[in-house]
Amino acid sequence: MKKAAIILGVMGILSTLSLSPVVGSASTLVGTVQYHRYHGTTTIKKNYQHFKLTNHQPNSTYKLIKTTSWRNAKLKAGSKVSIDLMANQGTQYNWYRIRSTNKHATHRYWIYGQALNLK
């Protein structure tokens, strides 16, 4: 019980100091997720490993959102990808649904916009 109280106290102090960890969920962000068609190609930035590849947009209402490793997706910095959907929820950056431009690529992944070289 004391351990839980200490953890809650630390989280309260962090949130008061605006040092709380960034956690995005549909209930904490303002507005609903909006999807838009987006056609284009781009490449993946060097900082790509700081972001996750998911099968659905992270703040969507899907119950089972799976994360895929970059190795399994066979994507790395400089890989050319095509974009077919964009999702936003009132944040500075958007999510994009990408697919590798390889002729055998079938899987699509959602990625945060900061991991892509968008113009």
Side-chain angles (χ1 to χ4, degrees):
M1 201 60 149
K2 289 182 181 181
K3 189 175 185 179
I6 292 171
I7 291 171
L8 291 174
V10 170
M11 292 303 289
I13 291 170
L14 290 176
S15 64
T16 304
L17 297 173
S18 298
L19 298 174
S20 59
V22 177
V23 177
S25 69
S27 62
T28 60
L29 293 176
V30 178
T32 59
V33 177
Q34 297 176 358
Y35 296 91
H36 308 281
R37 292 193 189 277
Y38 188 103
H39 297 287
T41 58
T42 188
T43 58
I44 297 175
K45 285 185 179 179
K46 292 180 182 178
N47 67 342
Y48 73 100
Q49 290 183 333
H50 295 287
F51 304 98
K52 294 181 180 181
L53 292 171
T54 57
N55 63 336
H56 293 288
Q57 192 267 340
N59 292 340
S60 66
T61 57
Y62 290 98
K63 294 182 184 200
L64 185 59
I65 297 176
K66 296 179 183 178
T67 302
T68 303
S69 72
W70 287 95
R71 180 181 282 177
N72 286 344
K74 297 180 179 151
L75 295 171
K76 58 184 179 181
S79 295
K80 193 172 182 181
V81 294
S82 63
I83 303 170
D84 63 347
L85 275 179
M86 175 183 77
N88 61 11
Q89 192 176 8
T91 59
Q92 181 179 3
Y93 296 100
N94 299 320
W95 292 273
Y96 295 89
R97 189 170 73 174
I98 63 170
R99 183 177 62 155
S100 175
T101 56
N102 294 342
K103 63 181 179 179
H104 299 293
T106 57
H107 295 290
R108 293 182 176 146
Y109 307 100
W110 284 95
I111 185 71
Y112 203 50
Q114 286 182 308
L116 301 174
N117 289 317
L118 298 170
K119 295 176 183 173

